[in-house]
Amino acid sequence: MAGRRWHATRSVLTAANGTTGAGLLLAMLTGARVRRGRDGVLIAEGYRLPVPPASCFTVGSVIITKRSAEWLLADKQANLLAHECRHASQYAVLGPLFWPAYWLACGWSISLTRSFGVRNFFEKRAGLLDGGYPEQEPLRPWVHRALRRR
């Protein structure tokens, strides 16, 4: 019951803060078809742009995927769906501030490793493995040098 309440609360918060509207607008502009998912999210299937390269990403309570909604809702993708739902929760808390915070976290991660996800706070909180990210990446040489100087 508590999970269902959070899903409803998350949907209301992302609608109120405008991020779900932004996700729906992006889906409409790119010709993606919006369908109801589960756990209070919407799925925009058939996204056609080459960026981002991921098979799906989330804007508000809208999970945008290059694939079909059936693919994302299949049992084999349960972990990925859970990962994207966690991002929807992050949008509920931060609203539009999620975007600059997320990109700063991407920059931090890329500066330390060659991955935008491994050291990204938001991807870590959403579950790296669930999102298809490795849990570890080697640190860049400059980080090792800086650590040795300390």
Side-chain angles (χ1 to χ4, degrees), residues 25-130:
L25 180 62
L26 179 60
M28 182 188 75
L29 292 174
T30 59
R33 182 173 160 233
V34 178
R35 299 193 37 204
R36 218 171 258 301
R38 56 177 169 256
D39 299 336
V41 296
L42 301 169
I43 299 172
E45 62 184 358
Y47 177 78
R48 293 183 193 93
L49 297 181
V51 286
S55 61
C56 59
F57 62 99
T58 301
V59 179
S61 285
V62 182
I63 300 172
I64 302 170
T65 180
K66 295 176 181 182
R67 306 239 180 141
S68 69
E70 288 80 18
W71 172 82
L72 186 57
L73 293 169
D75 288 344
K76 283 175 59 175
Q77 304 307 328
N79 290 345
L80 179 58
L81 179 62
H83 174 90
E84 296 303 330
C85 286
R86 289 182 204 114
H87 283 312
S89 296
Q90 293 167 349
Y91 275 101
V93 173
L94 291 176
L97 295 175
F98 177 81
W99 293 307
Y102 182 83
W103 289 112
L104 282 171
C106 286
W108 173 254
S109 184
I110 288 171
S111 72
L112 297 177
T113 69
R114 288 186 164 77
S115 164
F116 74 86
V118 171
R119 299 285 174 146
N120 180 323
F121 171 82
F122 299 100
E123 292 299 345
K124 288 177 88 164
R125 297 290 295 164
L128 290 171
L129 288 179
D130 289 344

